[in-house]
Amino acid sequence: MRRSLTEAVPAITWPQGIVLTGYGPGQAEEVHRLLQLGHSQGGGRVPALDVWQQRFETDPEYDPALCFIALDAQGIAGVCQCWTSAYIKNLVVHPRAQGRGLGRALLLNAFKVFQLRREGYVDLKVLEDNVRARRLYESAGMYVVRREPVPV
């Protein structure tokens, strides 16, 4: 899916009690756990912690300033992991924080950051049967640009 960044990004409303921070290696285990939980609900898979962390932190498109961590009183409530190519790699919200607008706030935050970096658009991939995520992305102005078969 894609969203043009030539259009205005709506104002971001963060749910009460949420603090936005960046990623640090000390958060890897908790971020990984949340990604596993999110992928178990929305499809896809996440490699083992050591493999995931090594791949994530050494990827040529990795920039810790593009990994947005939403914290609440209980820990990490959401993660939006982006690449320097204006690509959203992962967007996951913990079940305890779902339904409060956190996913939308993280998504809009990514749009705003890429807009400030003068990117023309932002992309992501989502499984077609992940209806909840697709609705979120479409409500934020994203549209399908290409369908790809999912390897079985």
Side-chain angles (χ1 to χ4, degrees), residues 90-101:
N90 286 296
L91 175 62
V92 181
V93 175
H94 195 283
R96 73 173 180 267
Q98 290 177 359
R100 297 181 16 209

Side-chain angles (χ1 to χ4, degrees), residues 96-148:
R96 73 173 180 267
Q98 290 177 359
R100 297 181 16 209
L102 180 55
R104 181 175 178 81
L106 284 165
L107 184 63
L108 294 177
N109 183 70
F111 293 169
K112 186 60 97 178
V113 168
F114 284 124
Q115 201 173 48
L116 291 170
R117 288 177 170 231
R118 300 189 178 281
E119 296 291 346
Y121 56 87
V122 63
D123 289 331
L124 59 75
K125 289 182 184 176
V126 62
L127 294 174
E128 201 152 339
D129 63 352
N130 190 345
V131 176
R132 185 175 184 172
R134 285 185 35 236
R135 282 188 188 135
L136 168 65
Y137 303 146
E138 289 167 356
S139 77
M142 298 193 87
Y143 55 91
V144 175
V145 290
R146 185 175 75 219
R147 286 192 164 82
E148 296 179 18

